[in-house]
């Protein structure tokens, strides 16, 4: 099994056999079948979570649907937390992955929701959830377009 490469570093599977190797293939490979389905589900969840953030930022919609937006946000946060934990569990070196660009983006995209529980007034940090959109670049392997997307945002 060939190790996956991220930003010039090897993040191979933690083991060559068993559930870790299977989930490594599903999460980090982009082949047909289960890996492709995983990518599509992840893209759908990311887009839906960003859509919820955008809708929740509209005062009129927030007043009417705040409870549903809150529940949706926690649902997405728990889903992305599970995905992050599985990513850490299946790679050979979890710390290296956690400190990689996408590992940090993954963590920063879920952390604000948890902080809002413990730190009053940290709701302003919830805007950081929009970082989830950066995760689509990894899924779609669009790193070559990251610089161009930065120019579009500027």
């Amino acid at each position: 099994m060939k190790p996956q490469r991220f930003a010039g570093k090897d993040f191979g599977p933690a083991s060559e056999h068993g559930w870790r190797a299977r989930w490594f293939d599903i999460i980090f490979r982009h082949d047909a079948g289960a890996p492709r389905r995983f990518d599509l589900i992840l893209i759908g969840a990311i887009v839906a979570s960003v859509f919820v953030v955008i809708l929740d930022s509209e005062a009129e919609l927030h007043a009417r649907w705040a409870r549903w937006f809150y529940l949706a946000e926690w649902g997405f946060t728990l889903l992305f937390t599970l995905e992050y934990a599985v990513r850490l569990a299946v790679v050979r070196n979890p710390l290296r992955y956690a400190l990689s660009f996408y590992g940090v983006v993954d963590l920063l995209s879920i952390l604000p929701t948890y902080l809002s529980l413990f730190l009053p007034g940290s709701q302003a940090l919830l805007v950081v959830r929009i970082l989830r959109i950066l995760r689509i670049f990894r899924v779609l392997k669009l790193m070559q377009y990251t610089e161009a997307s930065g120019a579009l945002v500027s």
Side-chain angles (χ1 to χ4, degrees):
M1 184 176 306
K2 190 170 141 185
Q4 185 73 27
R5 301 200 39 92
F6 294 99
K9 300 173 184 156
D10 289 331
F11 289 98
S15 67
E16 296 296 321
H17 305 288
W19 71 270
R20 285 183 170 173
R22 174 73 178 135
W23 276 99
F24 180 88
D25 287 343
I26 290 171
I27 292 173
F28 288 104
R29 307 256 191 255
H30 303 285
D31 305 326
R36 178 77 38 91
R37 285 189 300 277
F38 179 84
D39 289 347
L40 292 174
I41 290 168
L42 186 58
I43 289 170
I46 292 167
V47 169
S49 73
V50 170
F51 190 63
V52 166
V53 170
I54 292 168
L55 291 176
D56 193 30
S57 69
E58 181 63 37
E60 187 177 311
L61 292 174
H62 177 79
R64 185 173 179 190
W65 300 98
R67 177 175 165 78
W68 294 107
F69 291 147
Y70 180 81
L71 292 173
E73 176 55 35
W74 272 104
F76 288 123
T77 298
L78 293 173
L79 176 71
F80 294 139
T81 301
L82 176 64
E83 182 229 355
Y84 182 67
V86 172
R87 283 182 187 274
L88 291 174
V90 301
V91 294
R92 185 176 302 126
N93 188 338
L95 182 60
R96 181 179 277 176
Y97 175 76
L99 296 175
S100 71
F101 174 75
Y102 286 118
V104 171
V105 167
D106 288 349
L107 182 62
L108 288 177
S109 72
I110 59 175
L111 201 54
T113 307
Y114 290 111
L115 287 177
S116 72
L117 283 178
F118 305 111
L119 300 174
S122 66
Q123 285 77 14
L125 291 174
L126 294 178
V127 157
V128 177
R129 297 175 300 189
I130 208 78
L131 281 175
R132 291 175 180 165
I133 204 77
L134 288 176
R135 302 177 78 219
I136 290 178
F137 286 103
R138 172 187 51 220
V139 175
L140 296 177
K141 297 176 112 177
L142 293 177
M143 278 306 295
Q144 64 266 28
Y145 300 116
T146 302
E147 185 176 314
S149 68
L152 290 173
V153 171
S154 299

